[in-house]
Amino acid sequence: MGIGAFIAAAATTAAAHQVDLVKTWATVWASVKHAGGYSQLSNVLTLIGTLLVVASIARWIWSRRGSGHPHPHSHVLWTMAVGALLILPGVVVPALLTIADVVITAGIHLLG
């Protein structure tokens, strides 16, 4: 069994083993957003963070285009770090939890 087939099999059996960290996080994050009264602010911060990450990648590509030697790119790293912090609860955490779901399900599939 190849690794791709194994991961696909693990992902399809996630529902059978009730491993769904993403749904739990979505429930927790929705309750935090609504309890704090800043659900629209959270959406705006996620949008701004996404734009910062995309702009920093585009700026890095544009600066690399003109010359063959590397330049210090600390401004790109700082911009990407700020953008990543802004999108952390809405994008990064669910992505990491999706990976964790697949790994846990694969472990259950191997052991069970």
Side-chain angles (χ1 to χ4, degrees):
M1 177 182 237
I3 189 74
F6 178 72
I7 291 175
T12 57
T13 59
H17 294 293
Q18 301 300 323
V19 177
D20 194 3
L21 300 174
V22 178
K23 183 179 177 184
T24 305
W25 172 254
T27 303
V28 169
W29 182 240
S31 66
V32 168
K33 283 193 321 187
H34 295 301
Y38 64 95
S39 63
Q40 294 302 323
L41 177 64
S42 173
N43 294 338
V44 170
L45 290 177
T46 301
L47 177 65
I48 290 170
T50 304
L51 291 174
L52 283 173
V53 169
V54 169
S56 68
I57 292 170
R59 185 174 178 185
W60 177 76
I61 291 171
W62 186 260
S63 69
R64 297 283 298 174
R65 180 192 64 83
S67 63
H69 58 83
H71 296 285
H73 296 291
S74 65
H75 61 280
V76 172
L77 295 176
W78 282 108
T79 305
M80 191 171 293
V82 170
L85 283 175
L86 290 175
I87 65 172
L88 184 71
V91 177
V92 176
V93 171
L96 293 175
L97 289 176
T98 300
I99 293 168
D101 281 344
V102 170
V103 170
I104 291 169
T105 303
I108 290 172
H109 191 275
L110 278 175
L111 299 175

